[in-house]
Amino acid sequence: MFFGAVQLGIMAACVVLFVPMGMAGWHLSRNKVLFFSGALFITLAVCIHLIPYFPSFFPQSQSPTVLFQQDHRDLCVTLLNNVNFSSNFDNFSWNWDTSSGSYDCDFQKLGRVDVSDLLNGSWVVVAGDSQARLFVMSLLDLILGSDKMILIHEDLFKRHSDYHIVVEEIGLKLDFIWSPYVTNLTDVVTGFKRNRTYPDVLVMGSGLWHMLHFTNYTDYGVSLQLLRESLFRSFPVSRKFDMESDAGRALHLFWLGMPTLINGLLNTEEKRVKMTRELCDAYDHELYKSKLLRRDGGSLLLLDVESLSRRCGVDCSLDGMHYSDVVYEASVHVMLNALLIESHQKL
Ligand SMILES: *[C@@H]1O[C@H](CO)[C@@H](O)[C@H](O)[C@H]1NC(C)=O
Ligand SMILES: *[C@@H]1O[C@H](CO)[C@@H](O)[C@H](O)[C@H]1NC(C)=O
Ligand SMILES: *[C@@H]1O[C@H](CO)[C@@H](O)[C@H](O)[C@H]1NC(C)=O
Ligand SMILES: *[C@@H]1O[C@H](CO)[C@@H](O)[C@H](O)[C@H]1NC(C)=O
Ligand SMILES: *[C@@H]1O[C@H](CO)[C@@H](O)[C@H](O)[C@H]1NC(C)=O
Ligand SMILES: *[C@@H]1O[C@H](CO)[C@@H](O)[C@H](O)[C@H]1NC(C)=O
């Protein structure tokens, strides 16, 4: 049983008060009672101050420092998406918003070597639409460097196709799976179950295609529900984001959010008419209702592209829907820092 400091203090006070009073009942003089009281008080005070040095005498469920660290980690994860952008003409840069207290969290922009260490031997799967493809581009840019990126750029950007790469030097396997709709994501998830192989990191996200071609938020909500159910059925998914896969490895799940749409910049009349602010809000609300995200009680950690792109601003958007690389770069670093925090690693 765990004795808190408060309970211990109250117990000590009772002993100091009642033991001498009890003794007084045994015909002790007032001086003797005072003497016993004082002696007991000093003994207890000494004991209490010695407790921290002999923690093994006091069995505890979890030490307060571990609990504190866990709380601190959870807090830091919630602050990860607070990123500020600044621009110098067309040159955008970003950094974490330290005014929200995140400086205690040691968020860091990881370099190539750090990322290679972190993802060494991992299997990363990213499934989604063009936003997810841009996310993959930023991740590979970080891992391979811009020289090698030029070589693979064309293959990576083949319209509506998957992309697979193995980075031999660090044994990293990266799959991009073209999944414009949530139903496609569900197929990916059930595919893992069928094959009995699970990636270490799974990043998913979709919604824009559904918004444009179905324009029915209720239906989007239904498909998110089905995705959630298939996640529960396919993965040993607990309510936590960081869970064990069959091999006992941790499995990290992320949701790549939709960007902020800037209606006036959208490049077709159909998009401008259908993809309104109200519809975006309705789609957002369906995501919330689906409880897929960890902040809503689910298991996926949100890479908040909506907030990142909004903070980057209108000038940062190319066509009201796709944004400058800097937004996807920031979301990659949000993911990497979440992985660092969740795996309790510090570089
Ligand atoms: C863009 O900004 C970054 C950081 O602010 C700086 O290092 C880089 O030299 C700038 N590039 C150009 C082309 O101005
Ligand atoms: C980041 O932006 C927010 C508002 O968008 C502002 O309040 C905050 O001071 C900024 N932080 C830094 C470090 O510039
Ligand atoms: C990756 O891990 C393997 C062993 O797990 C190690 O031999 C190798 O040096 C690591 N590579 C990098 C780039 O960290
Ligand atoms: C994605 O799902 C849609 C609608 O369910 C389907 O028509 C399409 O073939 C799927 N695409 C892929 C790449 O699986
Ligand atoms: C499952 O295995 C098949 C055959 O090896 C492969 O083509 C497919 O991509 C795998 N699916 C997943 C989701 O890993
Ligand atoms: C929207 O989707 C729901 C659920 O799939 C369906 O019942 C409803 O008929 C759809 N509404 C329209 C206008 O297509």
Side-chain angles (χ1 to χ4, degrees):
M1 192 175 146
F2 177 76
F3 281 104
V6 176
Q7 287 95 317
L8 216 58
I10 292 172
M11 211 176 74
C14 291
V15 171
V16 171
L17 195 66
F18 292 118
V19 168
M21 273 171 73
M23 286 173 143
W26 293 67
H27 313 293
L28 285 175
S29 76
R30 206 177 66 184
N31 278 349
K32 277 186 180 152
V33 170
L34 275 176
F35 171 77
F36 277 120
S37 235
L40 266 169
F41 180 78
I42 291 167
T43 316
L44 283 168
V46 168
C47 285
I48 282 179
H49 284 95
L50 284 178
I51 284 172
Y53 300 99
F54 301 97
S56 51
F57 290 133
F58 294 85
Q60 296 177 351
S61 53
Q62 209 174 16
S63 89
T65 22
V66 169
L67 287 174
F68 170 76
Q69 283 169 355
Q70 186 58 49
D71 282 351
H72 187 245
R73 275 196 293 267
D74 289 348
L75 176 69
C76 286
V77 167
T78 63
L79 295 174
L80 266 170
N81 285 294
N82 292 356
V83 166
N84 279 13
F85 294 84
S86 57
S87 72
N88 179 7
F89 299 105
D90 279 346
N91 187 11
F92 287 90
S93 58
W94 64 277
N95 218 329
W96 279 282
D97 177 10
T98 47
S99 66
S100 59
S102 57
Y103 46 84
D104 280 342
C105 298
D106 288 333
F107 297 148
Q108 43 199 321
K109 295 186 185 182
L110 305 190
R112 200 170 153 190
V113 175
D114 297 335
V115 178
S116 302
D117 274 349
L118 183 64
L119 297 180
N120 189 349
S122 304
W123 179 22
V124 177
V125 174
V126 181
D129 53 23
S130 52
Q131 304 287 324
R133 205 190 288 274
L134 289 166
F135 179 86
V136 169
M137 189 188 75
S138 279
L139 179 59
L140 281 175
D141 200 33
L142 196 55
I143 296 169
L144 299 174
S146 33
D147 309 348
K148 286 196 188 150
M149 270 313 281
I150 293 169
L151 301 176
I152 65 165
H153 197 274
E154 193 184 329
D155 280 343
L156 176 57
F157 279 90
K158 275 204 188 111
R159 264 176 83 77
H160 306 174
S161 65
D162 295 352
Y163 179 78
H164 307 284
I165 185 170
V166 175
V167 184
E168 297 285 355
E169 303 94 86
I170 57 169
L172 168 72
K173 194 165 102 161
L174 177 75
D175 291 330
F176 168 72
I177 306 177
W178 171 245
S179 313
Y181 297 107
V182 174
T183 48
N184 304 129
L185 299 177
T186 306
D187 290 344
V188 169
V189 167
T190 49
F192 293 134
K193 185 183 170 69
R194 200 172 337 103
N195 288 9
R196 299 221 178 90
T197 53
Y198 300 94
D200 303 289
V201 178
L202 175 58
V203 182
M204 297 187 288
S206 118
L208 293 174
W209 278 65
H210 194 279
M211 210 183 259
L212 183 61
H213 298 292
F214 289 83
T215 326
N216 180 343
Y217 57 86
T218 318
D219 188 65
Y220 183 65
V222 170
S223 65
L224 289 172
Q225 266 317 322
L226 293 174
L227 174 61
R228 182 181 153 89
E229 280 160 29
S230 84
L231 273 171
F232 269 102
R233 254 182 284 111
S234 305
F235 294 146
V237 173
S238 64
R239 283 169 57 84
K240 278 181 72 206
F241 134 92
D242 168 45
M243 60 205 84
E244 301 282 303
S245 67
D246 53 342
R249 293 175 317 180
L251 174 60
H252 302 277
L253 301 174
F254 295 92
W255 181 258
L256 189 70
M258 278 194 272
T260 298
L261 297 183
I262 305 170
N263 195 273
L265 286 184
L266 294 174
N267 56 13
T268 67
E269 180 64 20
E270 187 190 11
K271 284 180 188 166
R272 283 193 294 274
V273 169
K274 288 186 177 170
M275 303 172 101
T276 58
R277 176 78 254 151
E278 294 72 39
L279 190 64
C280 289
D281 289 345
Y283 270 63
D284 255 359
H285 189 63
E286 291 301 324
L287 180 62
Y288 159 73
K289 277 188 357 199
S290 74
K291 299 204 183 335
L292 267 173
L293 301 186
R294 185 142 68 129
R295 61 155 199 225
D296 308 325
S299 46
L300 279 68
L301 188 70
L302 176 65
L303 305 175
D304 198 347
V305 180
E306 203 255 341
S307 152
L308 293 171
S309 54
R310 180 167 32 79
R311 281 163 171 251
C312 199
V314 176
D315 294 340
C316 189
S317 178
L318 310 175
D319 57 5
M321 179 185 280
H322 301 92
Y323 279 80
S324 156
D325 297 346
V326 73
V327 166
Y328 306 99
E329 184 189 313
S331 57
V332 163
H333 283 275
V334 169
M335 177 191 80
L336 294 171
N337 275 268
L339 289 174
L340 271 182
I341 295 170
E342 294 290 330
S343 57
H344 308 181
Q345 284 185 44
K346 284 272 176 217
L347 287 173

